[in-house]
Each structure stands twice: as C-alpha cells, then as structure tokens.
Amino acid sequence: MMEEPKLQIAIIGAGIAGLGAAIALKGHPKIDIQIYEQAEELREIGASIALGPNGMRTLERLGVDNGLDDSVAFRNKSGYPMIYRHYKTNEVVSVDAHHGRVDYRHRTARYYRPHLQQALLQHVDASSIHLRKGFKSVQFNNGIKKLVITFTDKSTTTADVLLGADGIHSPVRTIFVPTSGTAWTGWVTFRSVFPISHLANIQDLPDEANHFWSPDTTLFVSKLGKDLFTVVGSYQSNPDAPDAPYKDAKWNSEGNLDTLKEYYKDWSPLTRSILDSTPYTRIYPNVAAHGLDSWVLGNGKVTLAGDAAHAHGGAFAAGGSLALDDAWAFAASIRQVFPDYASRLPTEQELATALKLYETTRKAHTDRIIQVVREGNRKKVERLGVAETDEELRLRMTSRADTSWIHEHDVVTVFQIAKDLVFGADGQARL
C-alpha cells in the first residue's frame, strides 16, 4: 500500500524560530517537516536571551513547559521586568512594569541561550534535523511541482514550502532580496555568562535583572538559570566614522576585559567589582537591515521567520519572543488552509494564501519595531559627544518609551484579525 503523500516543509535554520515552527507543526499527521542547519553541531552561542510575556505564552502554547521552569528561566522576584539604576549611586531610578494581567509563569524571563535551545530541542524529532547543510539556492521544478533546495555541500532536497529561519544574515532572504543586506549600527555589546560563584564575595550583588545607565553607555546584569550570571556591557560609536572602534569586529569574537573595564572606570564600586570578577567577555557588533516589502517570496512558496524576516538588531531584548510568535503564526497559517483533517494536499494557491495570512499577522508589527529601533539608533549616534547632566540622564531614564506593545503583544488575537482581512467574512481569500 502506497504511503499517503504529505506536505513537505523545509526549515532552514535550527534556531529559536526554526525549532519553534517545527514544534508548532509536529502534530499534523500530513506534514513532513525537515530542518536544515549549517552548523556541524547544535551549539548555541553562549549568551543570555530574554523572553517577554508574549514569548513565554507562546512557549506554553507550543507545549514547551520545560522552558517555563524556574530551573532555566530566571524571573525578577519583584515582578518588574527590568530595574533601572544610576551608574554612580546604584539607586533605582525607574522600573518597567507589566501592563496587562501577567501570570507568574509568563513574566519576563532571562535565559542562558543554550538552555532555551535545549528546552526546544526536547520537543523536536532529532532525525528531522540535518546538520552541515548550509543553504545555497532554491528553484521551483515545474516537472515535479516542488522546490528544489541546493546546499553548499552540493546535496539537494525537495519541499512544497520553504521557511527561512536562518538568522540576521539570512542567505534565504538574500537570494530573494539581494538588497536586504545588514549594516553595522555603531553599537557593540560585550557579553559574558559564567557561574555566579565568581561573584560570591561581592556585597549587595543585585539579585534581579538590573540595567545601569550613564550618560554615554549602559551595563546590564542578571542572574540566569542553573546558578549562572550574565554581564552585558555596551559601547556606541558613529558607524560612519572611518576610525570607529569595532567597525570590523566579528560576531562572537574574543573581547578584552581591560578595555571593557576602562569604559566603566568612573562607575560605582559595585559595578566595577562585578566587572573585576567577570572572567571573560566576547564582542557582538550590532547590525540591522531595512524592513522587507513582502514576506511572501518565491511565488508564494517561500517565507521567513525570526531575524531573517525582521533584522531589527536585537533592541528591546525582543528577538526571542518575536521568533516564537513568528513560529506560531506560520504554523497557524499553514493549518488554516491545511487542517489536520484535510482529505487532500493544499493547492499552490492555498499555500500562497497561507503565507499571505502569516505575513498579514506579523509584518506590520515587526515593521513598526524596525522603525522604532532605527529612530532609537539615530538618536544614540546624535548624542555622541554631547554632554548630559545628571538631571538630564535621570529624565531620560524615567521618560523611556512604553514598550509593552512589544513584550505583551497578543499574536493570537492579531491572527484572528488577519484571517478576516485575508479571507473576509465569506471565507474567500482576498489575494
């Protein structure tokens, strides 16, 4: 007896968006999901990552309850998502607050990124993940009515739908939108994650996520799961200056602790003692790209998720939650035209409609984020070399823009609205 044909979905990238999409679709009996990852092993970069209430709710929606556990997800005991402190006095100047009702398990949480990836991997069939498969190209074959995907090792595979979840420098995106390359914003972060025991002798060590601000830079410190601690320093320069520090720095390259400490030499004894006890630092230059005109690519057979879709540059610590919401919305859109009980495979037109629904659900929201981040980056550069009084610093700290529209975004409600826009009251697609 011949095996019933299945809808083939190829996911490029085994990061948060790619794994999330696979998890969201894995229960569908008529979908075959394969994940292709260029790395030789699944090993996330050892930095911290945050999920807001939207990301935490989507984790739960995906059934990744192990990712909500306190053993890996650190939440501020005060309930505040972030606490802002003065760089000289350590005093609390301002706090963020959840706006809607947020249950404890959905509060903003910080992770060691590999812990979150491992939580997701526990819900993915290992046999569906193919390593050392760097994406090279994709073409539609009219003879077999399939996408033919070619990898850098010259091997190929076929699929009905391709989801590019391959990061901020996405080769999938670049194939379809060659002008979508990234540019350095002038901002660089210095990240480290290490056992909290390194800080055992520091009195008054913050036991919640804290963001210290000065007139020209910031320092983020927080506990993470499994007795880890993270320190994130930053440096802003003019990206157009020919002599800008870190202009040619590589992502996740080795940093210099003495240089980092020099940036904070006039800060409080507490912050300096934390940096003095930090065992290493690594450099992450921040890059971003313009928003795309459309997420529906390849004649309705290709789309993007995560940083590949909206390379906003990581501001607001929103990237992880955005990726998870993308993953859920992509899967929900596919299921809309191809439910579990479907008696036939979807047509090419129906798949194009699914990708349009996905775009309608997500793109306006992420476009707004990209625009806000671009404006924020512009203001950072404008402030370079401009003296700021202590009063002005405190005012800037207390007059921060409200970002609850990002961190408490309701992707499920927006999906329902998008369905009405795409399908209309009569259930007919509006293409």
Side-chain angles (χ1 to χ4, degrees):
M1 187 175 180
M2 291 185 61
E3 185 177 349
E4 185 177 0
K6 293 185 176 183
L7 179 71
Q8 293 180 301
I9 297 180
I11 299 174
I12 307 298
I16 293 172
L19 294 175
I23 294 168
L25 286 168
K26 73 173 185 175
H28 198 301
K30 299 175 184 178
I31 294 181
D32 174 47
I33 304 162
Q34 301 297 321
I35 305 171
Y36 301 92
E37 167 59 47
Q38 68 175 346
E40 295 186 1
E41 60 178 323
L42 288 179
R43 182 172 57 86
E44 271 285 8
I45 290 173
S48 58
I49 187 172
L51 293 182
N54 57 326
M56 300 298 279
R57 289 178 178 129
T58 298
L59 265 191
E60 185 175 64
R61 201 173 293 123
L62 295 177
V64 187
D65 292 336
N66 54 320
L68 300 174
D69 193 86
D70 283 334
S71 64
V72 294
F74 175 77
R75 301 164 175 86
N76 277 359
K77 64 183 181 181
S78 63
Y80 296 127
M82 184 72 84
I83 297 169
Y84 296 88
R85 291 181 180 268
H86 192 277
Y87 76 113
K88 284 280 196 183
T89 67
N90 302 327
E91 67 188 286
V92 175
V93 177
S94 186
V95 297
D96 284 338
H98 295 306
H99 284 239
R101 176 184 172 181
V102 178
D103 295 336
Y104 173 81
R105 65 187 183 281
H106 299 148
R107 286 182 185 174
T108 296
R110 274 86 189 180
Y111 296 82
Y112 181 42
R113 194 178 181 109
H115 291 167
L116 179 57
Q117 185 190 49
Q118 287 299 318
L120 292 166
L121 280 169
Q122 290 179 32
H123 298 267
V124 178
D125 182 355
S127 67
S128 69
I129 302 176
H130 310 275
L131 301 176
R132 296 183 289 278
K133 293 293 180 183
F135 173 84
K136 183 179 180 181
S137 64
V138 60
Q139 291 183 325
F140 183 71
N141 186 308
N142 275 306
I144 61 174
K145 299 298 181 183
K146 296 273 188 181
L147 294 170
V148 178
I149 303 163
T150 302
F151 300 100
T152 52
D153 64 0
K154 299 183 180 179
S155 64
T156 62
T157 192
T158 59
D160 299 297
V161 175
L162 171 62
L163 176 65
D166 50 343
I168 199 164
H169 300 294
S170 170
V172 175
R173 183 186 70 228
T174 304
I175 282 282
F176 290 97
V177 190
T179 59
S180 64
T182 59
W184 183 46
T185 66
W187 183 40
V188 63
T189 58
F190 304 85
R191 295 178 174 271
S192 56
V193 174
F194 51 88
I196 197 171
S197 57
H198 282 262
L199 310 176
N201 295 324
I202 297 178
Q203 294 184 350
D204 301 322
L205 179 71
D207 60 356
E208 299 193 272
N210 281 259
H211 208 190
F212 293 81
W213 283 28
S214 80
D216 54 8
T217 193
T218 62
L219 183 72
F220 172 73
V221 300
S222 178
K223 287 183 176 180
L224 303 175
K226 299 186 178 182
D227 296 320
L228 294 177
F229 195 87
T230 187
V231 173
V232 183
S234 66
Y235 184 90
Q236 180 71 50
S237 59
N238 186 338
D240 298 323
D243 59 346
Y246 310 105
K247 193 178 188 72
D248 299 315
K250 303 298 183 183
W251 182 262
N252 192 31
S253 56
E254 184 177 354
N256 186 299
L257 277 173
D258 290 336
T259 300
L260 177 63
K261 293 173 187 177
E262 180 68 18
Y263 293 149
Y264 296 89
K265 64 181 180 181
D266 296 325
W267 283 44
S268 70
L270 171 62
T271 54
R272 284 188 282 112
S273 65
I274 293 173
L275 289 171
D276 285 341
S277 300
T278 298
Y280 75 95
T281 190
R282 298 195 71 81
I283 297 172
Y284 298 85
N286 180 265
V287 299
H290 290 279
L292 301 174
D293 292 335
S294 176
W295 290 12
V296 183
L297 308 170
N299 295 319
K301 299 174 180 65
V302 179
T303 192
L304 306 166
D307 286 342
H310 37 80
H312 75 288
F316 305 122
S321 294
L322 291 173
L324 287 169
D325 279 355
D326 287 350
W328 180 88
F330 170 76
S333 299
I334 294 292
R335 287 180 182 274
Q336 182 64 30
V337 303
F338 188 45
D340 294 22
Y341 56 80
S343 59
R344 60 168 177 81
L345 293 179
T347 65
E348 291 183 17
Q349 185 64 46
E350 287 168 337
L351 289 175
T353 301
L355 299 195
K356 182 63 177 178
L357 174 57
Y358 167 56
E359 176 190 69
T360 305
T361 302
R362 298 297 294 150
K363 188 173 181 297
H365 178 63
T366 60
D367 280 352
R368 181 184 175 191
I369 293 173
I370 290 172
Q371 185 58 40
V372 170
V373 171
R374 285 176 60 83
E375 180 63 18
N377 289 340
R378 184 186 64 78
K379 290 180 178 179
K380 286 180 185 178
V381 173
E382 286 181 350
R383 284 204 310 272
L384 290 172
V386 178
E388 183 178 55
T389 67
D390 191 67
E391 182 180 3
E392 289 169 337
L393 168 64
R394 292 171 183 269
L395 177 62
R396 184 161 58 87
M397 294 176 72
T398 54
S399 59
R400 302 177 323 282
D402 177 12
T403 57
S404 60
W405 62 274
I406 299 175
H407 301 298
E408 298 182 36
H409 179 75
D410 185 351
V411 67
V412 176
T413 296
V414 176
F415 176 73
Q416 297 300 324
I417 295 170
K419 277 200 304 183
D420 290 340
L421 291 173
V422 173
F423 289 95
D426 58 2
Q428 298 298 310
R430 306 289 193 243
L431 297 179

